[in-house]
Amino acid sequence: MRPIIGITSYVLPASWGVWTDLPTALVPHDYTEAVRLAGGRAVLLPPDDLDADVLDRIDGLVLAGGPDLEPSLYGQDRGPHTVTHPDRDAAELLLLRAALDRDLPVLGVCRGMQLLTVAAGGSLHQHLPDVLGHEKHRPGPGVYGSQLAVLDPGSRIAALMGEDLTINCFHHQGVADPGSLTVTGRAADGLPEVVEDPERRFVLGVQWHPEVSRDHRFFGALVAAASKELTQACADR
């Protein structure tokens, strides 16, 4: 059996065939294909803040990228560059907190890393150019910034990355305070690019987009952790 990996999804207007601008639950295919190539079975999780019961039926969770988090979640007023989807915030925080309670394997990508940070009591910079004085983390519309990560020796991320430290990021917000999480990787300008929770089996957040290159290092590690979750669940039955 392949482990089932839930992927949080956007709800945005989309068009296909004769249909135009229909509200649609979607994620870029890169996410689902990265999970499939790593040996998992991807399912989409549209925003739903009624309960977290779906966690009974999945073995791992991917917090996908997307819009900014509502700043009130970390004690700030909304800045002029911040664009939020509060319905997604509420649904994903419910799922994430329940997943952490269960020690379910979690991979946070870009916004997903920021969600992990906020759930851990941390905070964000709302617009990095105001803090860093440059736009290397989001060079332009639809253009990924290519950088080299600086990783902590002995960390999970260092073991996964090996010698290839190139990251492809697209974000205008970033982690200011990681809360209870551990920062294990940074960009050259010092901005946190990786957070981990060493107290849990597999909780990893990266500020870049490994799904774009179908990076087996990350999705393979998630699927491996989820496979152990599945094996344990079958044994418990």
Side-chain angles (χ1 to χ4, degrees):
M1 293 175 61
R2 288 185 290 168
I4 298 174
I5 307 298
I7 306 173
T8 59
S9 66
Y10 308 65
V11 175
L12 294 170
S15 302
W16 65 94
V18 298
W19 310 108
T20 304
D21 290 337
L22 291 181
T24 306
L26 55 83
V27 296
H29 181 54
D30 287 334
Y31 285 101
T32 58
E33 186 67 358
V35 167
R36 185 187 73 83
L37 291 173
R41 181 68 162 94
V43 297
L44 300 193
L45 304 177
D48 183 341
D49 64 356
L50 294 182
D51 57 57
D53 291 354
V54 69
L55 297 180
D56 292 335
R57 294 169 174 81
I58 66 175
D59 308 299
L61 177 64
V62 174
L63 302 169
D68 304 325
L69 295 176
E70 173 56 49
S72 63
L73 294 170
Y74 49 94
Q76 295 182 17
D77 296 327
R78 188 182 304 182
H81 302 285
T82 299
V83 179
T84 66
H85 285 200
D87 58 332
R88 190 170 168 191
D89 295 344
E92 292 184 8
L93 279 170
L94 178 69
L95 275 182
L96 173 56
R97 287 170 174 148
L100 294 174
D101 286 344
R102 297 167 180 238
D103 200 18
L104 197 74
V106 177
L107 173 64
V109 174
C110 198
R111 166 194 160 90
M113 169 173 153
Q114 296 170 6
L115 194 77
L116 282 167
T117 296
V118 170
S123 63
L124 306 177
H125 297 300
Q126 289 193 51
H127 193 55
L128 292 176
D130 293 343
V131 178
L132 302 176
H134 64 75
E135 298 194 20
K136 293 180 180 179
H137 295 275
R138 190 178 67 174
V143 178
Y144 289 99
S146 180
Q147 304 188 50
L148 292 177
V150 180
L151 308 180
D152 287 1
S155 61
R156 181 190 294 274
I157 190 67
L160 289 177
M161 292 283 282
E163 296 183 359
D164 182 3
L165 303 180
T166 304
I167 60 176
N168 57 330
C169 52
F170 184 80
H171 59 102
H172 81 110
Q173 297 197 335
V175 170
D177 174 2
S180 61
L181 298 175
T182 301
V183 175
T184 55
R186 296 180 183 270
D189 57 20
L191 185 74
E193 291 286 336
V194 188
V195 292
E196 302 182 23
D197 187 344
E199 301 301 316
R200 290 188 167 87
R201 216 155 30 100
F202 187 95
V203 172
L204 175 66
V206 294
Q207 191 63 81
W208 64 91
H209 285 271
E211 80 284 357
V212 173
S213 59
R214 320 287 171 81
D215 197 323
H216 188 273
R217 294 172 296 181
F218 298 91
F219 290 91
L222 174 68
V223 168
S227 296
K228 293 178 182 177
E229 174 79 11
L230 176 60
T231 299
Q232 183 60 52
C234 291
D236 292 343
R237 296 187 191 121

